[in-house]
Amino acid sequence: MTADVLTGVELMVAGRDQVAAEVVAIRLCRADGGDLPEWAPGAHIDLELGVGLARQYSLCGDPAERSVLRIAVQREPNGRGGSRLAHERLTVGSTVRVSGPRNTFPLVAARRYLFIAGGIGITPVVPMVAAADAAGADWRLVYGGRSRATMAFATALREKYGDRVSLHPQDETGLLDLAGLLGRPGTGLVYCCGPEPLITAVEEHCRGWPPGCLHVERFTARGDTGAPETTIEVELALSQRTVTVPPGTPILRAVEEAGVHVLSSCREGTCGTCETPVLAGVPEHRDSLLTAEERAVGDTMMICVSRARTPRLVLEL
């Protein structure tokens, strides 16, 4: 049994391993052992951990292993509860509803890569370095964390790839030397995933680089709120109806209240599930996914958080 994508499919926890302090790697499979959807490095899946509680986790296994999807979950004591539920409920033999995979962080073919990972941001990078290595690319991974004990997969990566992997526990070496790593363009493509301060700093160091050099993935919302909100009109071209969206109301919620179903998950602009084509009008992007180039084109938007710079938008819904 195969599928192009899972939509709320119940998978079974086939195994779990402690891979760092407060980090468990979880392997998911079909109860019948059938094949799971194909995926590529950078992809993630959505787990339904409770009523109205969905969380996204990057796939960190081998794309060629079609019977298993592997994720790694870090327990966040100050989080919103998703990681705690994953640690407590996803025991071997238990089941969880899964959707995806989806990929908003794809690995672009290149001859040279610099991978920068911070903490649990290593998860999408693990299959990326494997793919880059298999393709014969020139690559380097710089991996930082609070301490060695907290850095998932660090030992395995170092043993497999040697000096191409540089480990930087903060309690031993301090913060990453981003100025030295990113002093000038020429490192090839840069891929970065980790906590917001790291991503923001990398973006600042790469400001002015040629378009397309830097690729980032955020696990939490960027946090910029944009201009003061005004009431906007949103025409739903396919549904042939128009909704009024007042200040403080997400477009997604207004559309749902009008009776139009839209796939969504994170509702904070980080997962890409609600990405919607824009047919007319100018979006005000507030997501944490689209690149500067994609924002400038303005032909798509994440309606869970983004609004409009024009009084009216026409969406393909």
mmCIF file of all heavy atoms in Angstrom, residues 142-187:
data_model
loop_
_atom_site.group_PDB
_atom_site.id
_atom_site.type_symbol
_atom_site.label_atom_id
_atom_site.label_comp_id
_atom_site.label_asym_id
_atom_site.label_seq_id
_atom_site.Cartn_x
_atom_site.Cartn_y
_atom_site.Cartn_z
ATOM 1 N N VAL A 142 28.309 22.925 10.246
ATOM 2 C CA VAL A 142 28.682 23.568 11.510
ATOM 3 C C VAL A 142 27.475 23.439 12.427
ATOM 4 O O VAL A 142 26.394 23.981 12.136
ATOM 5 C CB VAL A 142 29.062 25.046 11.291
ATOM 6 C CG1 VAL A 142 29.423 25.699 12.619
ATOM 7 C CG2 VAL A 142 30.228 25.146 10.322
ATOM 8 N N TYR A 143 27.650 22.718 13.532
ATOM 9 C CA TYR A 143 26.543 22.327 14.393
ATOM 10 C C TYR A 143 26.796 22.822 15.812
ATOM 11 O O TYR A 143 27.773 22.427 16.446
ATOM 12 C CB TYR A 143 26.400 20.806 14.343
ATOM 13 C CG TYR A 143 25.332 20.174 15.196
ATOM 14 C CD1 TYR A 143 24.288 20.902 15.753
ATOM 15 C CD2 TYR A 143 25.357 18.798 15.434
ATOM 16 C CE1 TYR A 143 23.308 20.304 16.516
ATOM 17 C CE2 TYR A 143 24.380 18.179 16.198
ATOM 18 C CZ TYR A 143 23.362 18.927 16.750
ATOM 19 O OH TYR A 143 22.401 18.332 17.513
ATOM 20 N N GLY A 144 25.919 23.713 16.295
ATOM 21 C CA GLY A 144 26.045 24.249 17.636
ATOM 22 C C GLY A 144 24.915 23.796 18.536
ATOM 23 O O GLY A 144 23.815 23.474 18.082
ATOM 24 N N GLY A 145 25.184 23.774 19.835
ATOM 25 C CA GLY A 145 24.173 23.407 20.815
ATOM 26 C C GLY A 145 24.583 23.903 22.184
ATOM 27 O O GLY A 145 25.708 24.385 22.375
ATOM 28 N N ARG A 146 23.677 23.785 23.141
ATOM 29 C CA ARG A 146 24.001 24.265 24.484
ATOM 30 C C ARG A 146 25.164 23.475 25.098
ATOM 31 O O ARG A 146 26.029 24.037 25.765
ATOM 32 C CB ARG A 146 22.775 24.166 25.394
ATOM 33 C CG ARG A 146 21.628 25.066 24.979
ATOM 34 C CD ARG A 146 20.564 25.124 26.059
ATOM 35 N NE ARG A 146 20.100 23.806 26.454
ATOM 36 C CZ ARG A 146 19.131 23.128 25.845
ATOM 37 N NH1 ARG A 146 18.527 23.662 24.797
ATOM 38 N NH2 ARG A 146 18.754 21.937 26.271
ATOM 39 N N SER A 147 25.165 22.151 24.895
ATOM 40 C CA SER A 147 26.220 21.278 25.392
ATOM 41 C C SER A 147 26.244 20.031 24.531
ATOM 42 O O SER A 147 25.297 19.768 23.771
ATOM 43 C CB SER A 147 25.966 20.897 26.859
ATOM 44 O OG SER A 147 24.791 20.096 26.962
ATOM 45 N N ARG A 148 27.293 19.234 24.635
ATOM 46 C CA ARG A 148 27.368 17.996 23.843
ATOM 47 C C ARG A 148 26.209 17.070 24.160
ATOM 48 O O ARG A 148 25.681 16.385 23.287
ATOM 49 C CB ARG A 148 28.695 17.291 24.099
ATOM 50 C CG ARG A 148 29.886 17.979 23.477
ATOM 51 C CD ARG A 148 31.174 17.211 23.683
ATOM 52 N NE ARG A 148 32.300 17.980 23.175
ATOM 53 C CZ ARG A 148 32.743 17.942 21.920
ATOM 54 N NH1 ARG A 148 32.142 17.143 21.048
ATOM 55 N NH2 ARG A 148 33.761 18.688 21.543
ATOM 56 N N ALA A 149 25.812 17.047 25.415
ATOM 57 C CA ALA A 149 24.745 16.142 25.825
ATOM 58 C C ALA A 149 23.420 16.473 25.168
ATOM 59 O O ALA A 149 22.556 15.604 25.018
ATOM 60 C CB ALA A 149 24.596 16.169 27.350
ATOM 61 N N THR A 150 23.229 17.718 24.758
ATOM 62 C CA THR A 150 21.958 18.133 24.162
ATOM 63 C C THR A 150 21.957 18.044 22.641
ATOM 64 O O THR A 150 20.919 18.296 22.019
ATOM 65 C CB THR A 150 21.633 19.590 24.554
ATOM 66 O OG1 THR A 150 22.594 20.478 23.972
ATOM 67 C CG2 THR A 150 21.621 19.757 26.071
ATOM 68 N N MET A 151 23.072 17.683 22.022
ATOM 69 C CA MET A 151 23.200 17.754 20.564
ATOM 70 C C MET A 151 22.903 16.391 19.929
ATOM 71 O O MET A 151 23.756 15.505 19.873
ATOM 72 C CB MET A 151 24.597 18.257 20.183
ATOM 73 C CG MET A 151 24.848 19.674 20.659
ATOM 74 S SD MET A 151 26.562 20.249 20.496
ATOM 75 C CE MET A 151 26.769 20.257 18.704
ATOM 76 N N ALA A 152 21.672 16.239 19.452
ATOM 77 C CA ALA A 152 21.225 14.988 18.853
ATOM 78 C C ALA A 152 22.040 14.654 17.610
ATOM 79 O O ALA A 152 22.355 15.537 16.810
ATOM 80 C CB ALA A 152 19.746 15.082 18.500
ATOM 81 N N PHE A 153 22.375 13.389 17.457
ATOM 82 C CA PHE A 153 23.064 12.833 16.287
ATOM 83 C C PHE A 153 24.504 13.335 16.131
ATOM 84 O O PHE A 153 25.157 13.026 15.123
ATOM 85 C CB PHE A 153 22.295 13.114 14.988
ATOM 86 C CG PHE A 153 20.832 12.763 15.053
ATOM 87 C CD1 PHE A 153 19.862 13.727 14.863
ATOM 88 C CD2 PHE A 153 20.428 11.464 15.320
ATOM 89 C CE1 PHE A 153 18.508 13.413 14.931
ATOM 90 C CE2 PHE A 153 19.077 11.138 15.391
ATOM 91 C CZ PHE A 153 18.115 12.121 15.190
ATOM 92 N N ALA A 154 25.016 14.093 17.096
ATOM 93 C CA ALA A 154 26.343 14.698 16.940
ATOM 94 C C ALA A 154 27.430 13.638 16.780
ATOM 95 O O ALA A 154 28.269 13.726 15.868
ATOM 96 C CB ALA A 154 26.652 15.601 18.136
ATOM 97 N N THR A 155 27.434 12.642 17.636
ATOM 98 C CA THR A 155 28.476 11.611 17.575
ATOM 99 C C THR A 155 28.395 10.828 16.276
ATOM 100 O O THR A 155 29.415 10.584 15.613
ATOM 101 C CB THR A 155 28.356 10.661 18.771
ATOM 102 O OG1 THR A 155 28.510 11.402 19.986
ATOM 103 C CG2 THR A 155 29.418 9.570 18.714
ATOM 104 N N ALA A 156 27.178 10.444 15.876
ATOM 105 C CA ALA A 156 27.013 9.662 14.643
ATOM 106 C C ALA A 156 27.457 10.458 13.424
ATOM 107 O O ALA A 156 28.110 9.916 12.518
ATOM 108 C CB ALA A 156 25.560 9.229 14.498
ATOM 109 N N LEU A 157 27.128 11.733 13.372
ATOM 110 C CA LEU A 157 27.528 12.568 12.239
ATOM 111 C C LEU A 157 29.038 12.712 12.171
ATOM 112 O O LEU A 157 29.649 12.624 11.089
ATOM 113 C CB LEU A 157 26.867 13.944 12.350
ATOM 114 C CG LEU A 157 25.373 14.003 12.051
ATOM 115 C CD1 LEU A 157 24.782 15.319 12.531
ATOM 116 C CD2 LEU A 157 25.120 13.821 10.550
ATOM 117 N N ARG A 158 29.644 12.928 13.303
ATOM 118 C CA ARG A 158 31.090 13.091 13.341
ATOM 119 C C ARG A 158 31.801 11.800 12.933
ATOM 120 O O ARG A 158 32.782 11.822 12.177
ATOM 121 C CB ARG A 158 31.511 13.516 14.752
ATOM 122 C CG ARG A 158 33.000 13.744 14.923
ATOM 123 C CD ARG A 158 33.445 15.027 14.267
ATOM 124 N NE ARG A 158 34.882 15.229 14.488
ATOM 125 C CZ ARG A 158 35.551 16.294 14.106
ATOM 126 N NH1 ARG A 158 34.913 17.284 13.504
ATOM 127 N NH2 ARG A 158 36.840 16.407 14.332
ATOM 128 N N GLU A 159 31.296 10.676 13.422
ATOM 129 C CA GLU A 159 31.914 9.387 13.092
ATOM 130 C C GLU A 159 31.754 9.060 11.605
ATOM 131 O O GLU A 159 32.658 8.489 10.986
ATOM 132 C CB GLU A 159 31.294 8.285 13.939
ATOM 133 C CG GLU A 159 31.697 8.349 15.411
ATOM 134 C CD GLU A 159 31.024 7.285 16.242
ATOM 135 O OE1 GLU A 159 30.108 6.608 15.697
ATOM 136 O OE2 GLU A 159 31.394 7.115 17.411
ATOM 137 N N LYS A 160 30.624 9.433 11.024
ATOM 138 C CA LYS A 160 30.367 9.091 9.624
ATOM 139 C C LYS A 160 31.112 9.995 8.656
ATOM 140 O O LYS A 160 31.624 9.535 7.631
ATOM 141 C CB LYS A 160 28.865 9.144 9.351
ATOM 142 C CG LYS A 160 28.485 8.707 7.941
ATOM 143 C CD LYS A 160 26.978 8.621 7.790
ATOM 144 C CE LYS A 160 26.603 8.118 6.398
ATOM 145 N NZ LYS A 160 25.125 7.989 6.233
ATOM 146 N N TYR A 161 31.172 11.315 8.972
ATOM 147 C CA TYR A 161 31.693 12.272 7.997
ATOM 148 C C TYR A 161 33.005 12.937 8.407
ATOM 149 O O TYR A 161 33.550 13.725 7.634
ATOM 150 C CB TYR A 161 30.639 13.353 7.738
ATOM 151 C CG TYR A 161 29.342 12.819 7.186
ATOM 152 C CD1 TYR A 161 28.165 12.896 7.934
ATOM 153 C CD2 TYR A 161 29.275 12.228 5.923
ATOM 154 C CE1 TYR A 161 26.965 12.415 7.429
ATOM 155 C CE2 TYR A 161 28.082 11.742 5.418
ATOM 156 C CZ TYR A 161 26.927 11.839 6.178
ATOM 157 O OH TYR A 161 25.739 11.366 5.675
ATOM 158 N N GLY A 162 33.486 12.658 9.594
ATOM 159 C CA GLY A 162 34.784 13.195 10.008
ATOM 160 C C GLY A 162 34.821 14.704 10.108
ATOM 161 O O GLY A 162 33.889 15.340 10.618
ATOM 162 N N ASP A 163 35.900 15.297 9.578
ATOM 163 C CA ASP A 163 36.142 16.728 9.742
ATOM 164 C C ASP A 163 35.170 17.616 8.973
ATOM 165 O O ASP A 163 35.177 18.835 9.158
ATOM 166 C CB ASP A 163 37.580 17.075 9.312
ATOM 167 C CG ASP A 163 38.609 16.511 10.273
ATOM 168 O OD1 ASP A 163 38.214 16.171 11.408
ATOM 169 O OD2 ASP A 163 39.790 16.400 9.892
ATOM 170 N N ARG A 164 34.348 17.026 8.120
ATOM 171 C CA ARG A 164 33.343 17.842 7.447
ATOM 172 C C ARG A 164 32.289 18.342 8.437
ATOM 173 O O ARG A 164 31.564 19.294 8.145
ATOM 174 C CB ARG A 164 32.658 17.048 6.332
ATOM 175 C CG ARG A 164 33.519 16.891 5.086
ATOM 176 C CD ARG A 164 32.696 16.359 3.944
ATOM 177 N NE ARG A 164 33.421 16.453 2.683
ATOM 178 C CZ ARG A 164 32.878 16.226 1.496
ATOM 179 N NH1 ARG A 164 31.589 15.888 1.408
ATOM 180 N NH2 ARG A 164 33.589 16.326 0.397
ATOM 181 N N VAL A 165 32.217 17.691 9.589
ATOM 182 C CA VAL A 165 31.266 18.072 10.631
ATOM 183 C C VAL A 165 32.030 18.753 11.759
ATOM 184 O O VAL A 165 32.952 18.182 12.337
ATOM 185 C CB VAL A 165 30.507 16.846 11.173
ATOM 186 C CG1 VAL A 165 29.593 17.245 12.327
ATOM 187 C CG2 VAL A 165 29.715 16.175 10.057
ATOM 188 N N SER A 166 31.656 19.981 12.057
ATOM 189 C CA SER A 166 32.301 20.760 13.115
ATOM 190 C C SER A 166 31.300 20.971 14.244
ATOM 191 O O SER A 166 30.244 21.580 14.036
ATOM 192 C CB SER A 166 32.772 22.110 12.546
ATOM 193 O OG SER A 166 33.350 22.899 13.544
ATOM 194 N N LEU A 167 31.615 20.447 15.444
ATOM 195 C CA LEU A 167 30.718 20.518 16.589
ATOM 196 C C LEU A 167 31.127 21.670 17.502
ATOM 197 O O LEU A 167 32.308 21.825 17.830
ATOM 198 C CB LEU A 167 30.739 19.205 17.368
ATOM 199 C CG LEU A 167 30.386 17.940 16.574
ATOM 200 C CD1 LEU A 167 30.474 16.714 17.477
ATOM 201 C CD2 LEU A 167 29.000 18.053 15.946
ATOM 202 N N HIS A 168 30.136 22.458 17.939
ATOM 203 C CA HIS A 168 30.411 23.642 18.753
ATOM 204 C C HIS A 168 29.459 23.715 19.944
ATOM 205 O O HIS A 168 28.499 24.497 19.934
ATOM 206 C CB HIS A 168 30.296 24.913 17.900
ATOM 207 C CG HIS A 168 31.289 24.987 16.796
ATOM 208 N ND1 HIS A 168 32.500 25.600 16.930
ATOM 209 C CD2 HIS A 168 31.243 24.491 15.525
ATOM 210 C CE1 HIS A 168 33.173 25.498 15.795
ATOM 211 N NE2 HIS A 168 32.430 24.826 14.924
ATOM 212 N N PRO A 169 29.703 22.911 20.987
ATOM 213 C CA PRO A 169 28.900 23.062 22.207
ATOM 214 C C PRO A 169 29.173 24.432 22.828
ATOM 215 O O PRO A 169 30.327 24.813 23.028
ATOM 216 C CB PRO A 169 29.414 21.937 23.108
ATOM 217 C CG PRO A 169 30.187 21.013 22.207
ATOM 218 C CD PRO A 169 30.724 21.859 21.109
ATOM 219 N N GLN A 170 28.123 25.166 23.110
ATOM 220 C CA GLN A 170 28.296 26.534 23.592
ATOM 221 C C GLN A 170 29.047 26.600 24.910
ATOM 222 O O GLN A 170 29.807 27.531 25.149
ATOM 223 C CB GLN A 170 26.927 27.204 23.726
ATOM 224 C CG GLN A 170 27.009 28.696 24.050
ATOM 225 C CD GLN A 170 25.649 29.353 24.076
ATOM 226 O OE1 GLN A 170 24.699 28.842 23.492
ATOM 227 N NE2 GLN A 170 25.542 30.482 24.755
ATOM 228 N N ASP A 171 28.849 25.603 25.784
ATOM 229 C CA ASP A 171 29.528 25.646 27.069
ATOM 230 C C ASP A 171 31.023 25.344 26.958
ATOM 231 O O ASP A 171 31.768 25.523 27.923
ATOM 232 C CB ASP A 171 28.871 24.691 28.067
ATOM 233 C CG ASP A 171 28.907 23.228 27.608
ATOM 234 O OD1 ASP A 171 29.297 22.975 26.444
ATOM 235 O OD2 ASP A 171 28.533 22.352 28.406
ATOM 236 N N GLU A 172 31.461 24.926 25.762
ATOM 237 C CA GLU A 172 32.883 24.658 25.544
ATOM 238 C C GLU A 172 33.538 25.687 24.630
ATOM 239 O O GLU A 172 34.681 26.105 24.865
ATOM 240 C CB GLU A 172 33.079 23.265 24.926
ATOM 241 C CG GLU A 172 32.612 22.116 25.792
ATOM 242 C CD GLU A 172 32.768 20.784 25.077
ATOM 243 O OE1 GLU A 172 33.617 20.695 24.156
ATOM 244 O OE2 GLU A 172 32.023 19.838 25.420
ATOM 245 N N THR A 173 32.816 26.099 23.580
ATOM 246 C CA THR A 173 33.433 26.949 22.547
ATOM 247 C C THR A 173 32.749 28.297 22.378
ATOM 248 O O THR A 173 33.201 29.111 21.575
ATOM 249 C CB THR A 173 33.425 26.218 21.192
ATOM 250 O OG1 THR A 173 32.071 25.987 20.778
ATOM 251 C CG2 THR A 173 34.158 24.881 21.292
ATOM 252 N N GLY A 174 31.662 28.556 23.117
ATOM 253 C CA GLY A 174 30.939 29.810 22.943
ATOM 254 C C GLY A 174 30.023 29.771 21.731
ATOM 255 O O GLY A 174 29.772 28.716 21.146
ATOM 256 N N LEU A 175 29.547 30.940 21.334
ATOM 257 C CA LEU A 175 28.640 31.038 20.198
ATOM 258 C C LEU A 175 29.372 30.775 18.885
ATOM 259 O O LEU A 175 30.597 30.922 18.806
ATOM 260 C CB LEU A 175 27.996 32.429 20.151
ATOM 261 C CG LEU A 175 27.099 32.800 21.337
ATOM 262 C CD1 LEU A 175 26.645 34.249 21.216
ATOM 263 C CD2 LEU A 175 25.886 31.871 21.411
ATOM 264 N N LEU A 176 28.622 30.391 17.872
ATOM 265 C CA LEU A 176 29.211 30.143 16.556
ATOM 266 C C LEU A 176 29.831 31.421 16.004
ATOM 267 O O LEU A 176 29.285 32.519 16.154
ATOM 268 C CB LEU A 176 28.148 29.640 15.580
ATOM 269 C CG LEU A 176 27.504 28.280 15.879
ATOM 270 C CD1 LEU A 176 26.458 27.963 14.822
ATOM 271 C CD2 LEU A 176 28.555 27.184 15.946
ATOM 272 N N ASP A 177 30.976 31.268 15.334
ATOM 273 C CA ASP A 177 31.666 32.402 14.712
ATOM 274 C C ASP A 177 31.051 32.653 13.340
ATOM 275 O O ASP A 177 31.601 32.277 12.304
ATOM 276 C CB ASP A 177 33.163 32.113 14.597
ATOM 277 C CG ASP A 177 33.929 33.236 13.899
ATOM 278 O OD1 ASP A 177 33.379 34.366 13.827
ATOM 279 O OD2 ASP A 177 35.049 32.969 13.420
ATOM 280 N N LEU A 178 29.883 33.290 13.330
ATOM 281 C CA LEU A 178 29.187 33.519 12.064
ATOM 282 C C LEU A 178 29.927 34.501 11.171
ATOM 283 O O LEU A 178 29.895 34.381 9.943
ATOM 284 C CB LEU A 178 27.766 34.019 12.328
ATOM 285 C CG LEU A 178 26.846 33.042 13.065
ATOM 286 C CD1 LEU A 178 25.472 33.663 13.271
ATOM 287 C CD2 LEU A 178 26.728 31.723 12.301
ATOM 288 N N ALA A 179 30.616 35.464 11.771
ATOM 289 C CA ALA A 179 31.373 36.420 10.955
ATOM 290 C C ALA A 179 32.459 35.704 10.173
ATOM 291 O O ALA A 179 32.719 36.011 9.005
ATOM 292 C CB ALA A 179 31.972 37.501 11.845
ATOM 293 N N GLY A 180 33.112 34.736 10.815
ATOM 294 C CA GLY A 180 34.141 33.969 10.110
ATOM 295 C C GLY A 180 33.561 33.044 9.062
ATOM 296 O O GLY A 180 34.157 32.844 7.995
ATOM 297 N N LEU A 181 32.394 32.468 9.349
ATOM 298 C CA LEU A 181 31.768 31.539 8.411
ATOM 299 C C LEU A 181 31.150 32.251 7.224
ATOM 300 O O LEU A 181 31.159 31.749 6.099
ATOM 301 C CB LEU A 181 30.672 30.739 9.124
ATOM 302 C CG LEU A 181 31.108 29.719 10.166
ATOM 303 C CD1 LEU A 181 29.894 29.213 10.938
ATOM 304 C CD2 LEU A 181 31.824 28.556 9.503
ATOM 305 N N LEU A 182 30.597 33.441 7.482
ATOM 306 C CA LEU A 182 29.775 34.125 6.484
ATOM 307 C C LEU A 182 30.314 35.516 6.175
ATOM 308 O O LEU A 182 29.563 36.436 5.877
ATOM 309 C CB LEU A 182 28.330 34.234 6.985
ATOM 310 C CG LEU A 182 27.658 32.907 7.339
ATOM 311 C CD1 LEU A 182 26.371 33.146 8.114
ATOM 312 C CD2 LEU A 182 27.378 32.093 6.080
ATOM 313 N N GLY A 183 31.626 35.658 6.230
ATOM 314 C CA GLY A 183 32.218 36.968 6.000
ATOM 315 C C GLY A 183 31.979 37.498 4.611
ATOM 316 O O GLY A 183 31.897 38.706 4.398
ATOM 317 N N ARG A 184 31.838 36.602 3.662
ATOM 318 C CA ARG A 184 31.600 37.023 2.274
ATOM 319 C C ARG A 184 30.937 35.881 1.517
ATOM 320 O O ARG A 184 31.071 34.720 1.900
ATOM 321 C CB ARG A 184 32.915 37.406 1.579
ATOM 322 C CG ARG A 184 33.938 36.294 1.546
ATOM 323 C CD ARG A 184 35.251 36.724 0.908
ATOM 324 N NE ARG A 184 36.242 35.654 0.933
ATOM 325 C CZ ARG A 184 36.289 34.657 0.058
ATOM 326 N NH1 ARG A 184 35.395 34.595 -0.919
ATOM 327 N NH2 ARG A 184 37.230 33.732 0.147
ATOM 328 N N PRO A 185 30.233 36.186 0.430
ATOM 329 C CA PRO A 185 29.658 35.113 -0.389
ATOM 330 C C PRO A 185 30.768 34.232 -0.952
ATOM 331 O O PRO A 185 31.914 34.648 -1.076
ATOM 332 C CB PRO A 185 28.932 35.881 -1.502
ATOM 333 C CG PRO A 185 28.732 37.252 -0.968
ATOM 334 C CD PRO A 185 29.889 37.524 -0.061
ATOM 335 N N GLY A 186 30.425 33.023 -1.296
ATOM 336 C CA GLY A 186 31.417 32.129 -1.882
ATOM 337 C C GLY A 186 31.415 30.754 -1.260
ATOM 338 O O GLY A 186 32.178 29.875 -1.674
ATOM 339 N N THR A 187 30.575 30.562 -0.230
ATOM 340 C CA THR A 187 30.494 29.253 0.407
ATOM 341 C C THR A 187 29.524 28.329 -0.318
ATOM 342 O O THR A 187 29.297 27.210 0.122
ATOM 343 C CB THR A 187 30.030 29.402 1.865
ATOM 344 O OG1 THR A 187 28.794 30.104 1.887
ATOM 345 C CG2 THR A 187 31.050 30.144 2.698
#
